[in-house]
Amino acid sequence: MSKPNMSRLHHAIDLLGKLVAFDTTSKNSNLGLIHFVRDYLAEYGVESTLFHDETGQKANLLATIGPKGVPGIALSGHTDVVPALETTWVSPAFELTERDGKLFGRGSADMKGFSACALAMIPELVKRDLEIPFHLCLSYDEEVGCIGVGSMVDHLAKMDTPPRLAVIGEPTNMKVINGQKGKYSMRVGVTGTAGHSSFAPDHVNAIEYGARAINLIADKAREFEENGPFDADFTVPHSTMLTTTISGGTATNVTPEYCEFTFEIRHLPDHDAEAVIADLQKTIMDTLDAEMKAKAEDTGFTFEKIFSYPGMGDCTDAEAFSYVSNIIPEISGKVSYGSEGGVFEKQGNIPSIICGPGSIEQAHKPNEFIEISQIEECLDFLEALTDQAAAA
C-alpha cells in the first residue's frame, strides 16, 4: 500500500490530540468529545445522530457518508478510556505527546487512534462519488462491558439497508482479527450468620460457603481446559472461568456473616455462557444453599449479572469481507479479549472483523502510546477501502 497523504497524516495526528484531550474515562461523560465530533462533521456537511444513555450524560454518535439505500461499511470505535491514575506517566495522560516516533496519551492506541484516522478521512469521503456508504460509529462505555453500543447497533439493524460489514478499530497493529471471545460477569452474595468464632459450629460461615462455590467455578475452568470446546485459532483455545474479586468478614474472632465475590466466563463465540452460568447456579442452590438453609433459614446465595457481551464469530466467508481481504489478505487469528464486534454481529446481524492501529500490548498501561507509522498504515487502509467504495 502506498504512503498516505502527508497533510492527511498531520490532520489525523492533530485530531488524535484533540480526542485524547477529552478525559473520557468511563466514569465521566463523553459528551464533550461527541459534540466536538458532531461539530467537526457538520463543517463537511455530514449530519450526526446521537443516542444518549438514560442519564443524558453519555451518547453514541452515528454519521453516514455516501448514498442511501445501499448496504455499506461501519467504522466503529469506542470513545471511553480506562483510568490513568498511575504515577509513572512521563507526560500528562490527557495531553498527546510525541517522542521517538510515538504518540503518548491515554486512549492513543485504545482506541482513539482509529477514530482520529476515520475522522481524518472525512474530507476525502465527502468529495468522492461513493457507490456504498461509510457509517461512522462512536460509542460509549465499551471499557465497562460493551454496554453502550447496543442502542446504535439496534438502529443500524433496523435500517432498510443495514451495513454489510463492520470494522472494529481496536488496536491490532493493523492485522485482521476474525474472532473474539464473549464475556459473562457475575456477582455472588453469600449470607451466613455471625457470632463469636469460639462457637463456630453454631454459625453459618459465609466465607467458607463462598469458598466452596469458588471451588466449583475452578472445577468448571479445569473442565473447559481439559474437554473444551476448543478453537485453536484463539490465543487461549478454550473458554476460561475464574473468580476475580472477593471480600468478607469483619474481625478475626467473628464468624463471617457475609461474603461477596465476582467471577467471569470468557467463552468461545458458540459456547453457551448462559447455560454454563445456569447450570453452576443450580448446582450451588441445590447443594450449598440448601445446606445453609437447613441450618438457618435466612442464609444462602444471591446472584447478580454485572454485564455480558457476545463473542464475535468468523465472517471471512461473508461476501463483504472481500473489501478487507483485497487490502490485507492475511488473517491473523482470534483473540481472547473483548470488543464490540460481537454486539454488531450477534445483536445487529452485521458481519464484523477487528482491525485497527496500535498494539493491544499498550492498552490499559501507563505511558500508553501509538506509533506514528501505525497511523500511517491505518490511513492507507482506509484510503484503499475508500477507493473500493468509490465509483469507477
Side-chain angles (χ1 to χ4, degrees):
M1 294 186 285
S2 61
K3 288 291 183 183
N5 182 287
M6 288 305 294
S7 63
R8 188 177 299 144
L9 173 61
H10 294 151
H11 188 34
I13 294 173
D14 179 66
L15 286 165
L16 179 56
K18 289 180 168 63
L19 298 182
V20 166
F22 290 101
D23 180 355
T24 51
T25 305
S26 300
K27 66 181 178 63
N28 298 333
S29 171
N30 74 334
L31 291 184
L33 184 152
I34 289 294
H35 292 166
F36 165 77
V37 172
R38 178 195 60 191
D39 295 344
Y40 168 83
L41 293 171
E43 293 177 7
Y44 295 95
V46 178
E47 295 183 357
S48 301
T49 302
L50 305 189
F51 302 86
H52 290 86
D53 72 347
E54 293 180 356
T55 71
Q57 295 304 304
K58 296 182 180 182
N60 301 313
L61 179 147
L62 172 64
T64 299
I65 305 95
K68 297 180 179 180
V70 182
I73 298 174
L75 303 176
S76 172
H78 63 79
T79 61
D80 62 318
V81 298
V82 297
L85 303 177
E86 304 91 346
T87 60
T88 52
W89 281 86
V90 174
S91 52
F94 296 101
E95 180 181 312
L96 196 68
T97 305
E98 181 179 348
R99 296 193 301 273
D100 302 321
K102 301 172 183 176
L103 301 169
F104 291 81
R106 175 58 84 217
S108 55
D110 185 18
M111 59 176 293
K112 293 178 178 179
F114 178 79
S115 299
C117 290
L119 291 172
M121 288 297 301
I122 295 298
E124 179 69 14
L125 291 175
V126 297
K127 74 178 184 181
R128 297 289 290 271
D129 184 13
L130 299 175
E131 292 186 335
I132 66 169
F134 286 91
H135 305 281
L136 177 65
C137 305
L138 300 183
S139 68
Y140 66 89
D141 281 358
E142 188 272 350
E143 295 289 7
V144 290
C146 299
I147 62 177
V149 73
S151 59
M152 180 165 53
V153 170
D154 286 343
H155 177 84
L156 290 168
K158 293 174 183 176
M159 293 170 57
D160 291 338
T161 51
R164 65 176 72 183
L165 181 73
V167 177
I168 314 299
E170 292 280 0
T172 67
N173 284 316
M174 291 308 299
K175 299 182 184 301
V176 175
I177 302 299
N178 65 318
Q180 158 233 307
K181 287 183 179 178
K183 180 176 177 179
Y184 206 113
S185 181
M186 293 285 293
R187 180 179 293 109
V188 182
V190 191
T191 301
T193 58
H196 198 286
S197 61
S198 63
F199 293 95
D202 297 335
H203 310 140
V204 179
N205 189 321
I207 288 180
E208 288 186 358
Y209 276 98
R212 290 169 65 181
I214 288 170
N215 279 334
L216 293 175
I217 293 168
D219 289 342
K220 279 287 186 183
R222 284 188 288 271
E223 178 185 328
F224 298 153
E225 187 172 1
E226 293 171 3
N227 302 322
F230 298 105
D231 186 336
D233 289 337
F234 275 93
T235 49
V236 178
H238 52 80
S239 298
T240 58
M241 201 168 182
L242 75 157
T243 303
T244 49
T245 67
I246 185 169
S247 64
T250 57
T252 60
N253 59 352
V254 178
T255 302
E257 183 178 23
Y258 188 73
C259 173
E260 182 175 289
F261 64 90
T262 61
F263 73 94
E264 68 170 36
I265 174 173
R266 289 183 182 264
H267 58 94
L268 301 182
D270 294 329
H271 194 180
D272 189 344
E274 288 195 10
V276 171
I277 298 293
D279 179 66
L280 175 70
Q281 186 171 337
K282 184 177 187 304
T283 299
I284 291 173
M285 296 301 288
D286 289 349
T287 57
L288 303 181
D289 187 88
E291 184 179 320
M292 295 173 74
K293 282 182 169 53
K295 197 166 188 177
E297 185 177 348
D298 293 334
T299 63
F301 283 79
T302 60
F303 298 84
E304 176 191 358
K305 177 182 175 181
I306 303 173
F307 67 82
S308 68
Y309 55 77
M312 183 187 83
D314 186 349
C315 79
T316 54
D317 59 350
E319 181 181 357
F321 180 69
S322 62
Y323 281 95
V324 173
S325 60
N326 288 340
I327 306 167
I328 306 175
E330 182 179 354
I331 304 298
S332 294
K334 304 172 183 180
V335 293
S336 298
Y337 60 78
S339 85
E340 294 169 337
V343 181
F344 275 85
E345 180 199 311
K346 298 294 196 303
Q347 188 171 325
N349 198 29
I350 301 169
S352 304
I353 59 103
I354 306 171
C355 183
S359 170
I360 195 64
E361 295 297 323
Q362 296 304 318
H364 302 191
K365 292 181 178 180
N367 301 304
E368 177 183 350
F369 70 81
I370 188 170
E371 295 180 352
I372 293 176
S373 61
Q374 284 288 298
I375 299 290
E376 292 178 329
E377 284 194 41
C378 185
L379 289 171
D380 206 358
F381 169 75
L382 293 174
E383 185 168 13
L385 270 183
T386 303
D387 288 342
Q388 291 187 83

